[in-house]
Amino acid sequence: QVQLVESGGGLVQPGGSLRLSCAASGFTAASYAMSWYRQAPGLERELVARISAGGSTNYAELVKGRFTISRNNLRNTVNLQMNSLKPEDTAVYYCYASLGSWGQGTQVTVSS
């Protein structure tokens, strides 16, 4: 019964911010690398950010400096703080756990 449930997506204006959350259940997320991916219509799913079990992070060049991945091990959640959002960030955002599990995705739309 491993589950990843994303929340926090929605419509935001360019330059705005959103905070996505990934709630893990059925396993201890702190023991695994966790990632955020995104997929826009017609494009390949791409890695946005990753955080290791030890807390080290890496980011796609297009989001570096704007997005921050973090984890709250007490809540068994992983977050993605997204600032200075651009229309090009519009996509479905997915949480991924390195044990091989995906969330269902949450839509982020950046538009005026």
Side-chain angles (χ1 to χ4, degrees), residues 52-110:
S52 73
S56 63
T57 60
N58 57 73
Y59 300 90
E61 285 297 318
L62 287 171
V63 309
K64 195 171 297 181
R66 300 187 296 121
F67 291 10
T68 303
I69 189 170
S70 62
R71 62 201 315 161
N72 186 324
N73 292 336
L74 293 179
R75 299 175 100 88
N76 211 31
T77 60
V78 180
N79 301 116
L80 185 68
Q81 179 67 47
M82 306 186 295
N83 299 325
S84 302
L85 283 162
K86 305 173 180 180
E88 308 92 88
D89 296 319
T90 296
V92 177
Y93 283 71
Y94 298 90
C95 183
Y96 175 78
S98 64
L99 48 60
S101 295
W102 293 91
Q104 83 290 344
T106 185
Q107 176 71 47
V108 171
T109 302
V110 185

Side-chain angles (χ1 to χ4, degrees), residues 4-69:
L4 298 171
V5 180
E6 302 96 332
S7 62
L11 175 65
V12 65
Q13 294 184 352
S17 297
L18 284 174
R19 186 175 179 87
L20 306 184
S21 183
C22 172
S25 59
F27 73 106
T28 300
S31 299
Y32 298 88
M34 302 289 291
S35 301
W36 286 95
Y37 286 75
R38 68 186 183 188
Q39 188 167 25
L43 298 181
E44 193 174 288
R45 190 171 298 188
E46 64 177 350
L47 177 67
V48 174
R50 179 183 182 273
I51 185 166
S52 73
S56 63
T57 60
N58 57 73
Y59 300 90
E61 285 297 318
L62 287 171
V63 309
K64 195 171 297 181
R66 300 187 296 121
F67 291 10
T68 303
I69 189 170

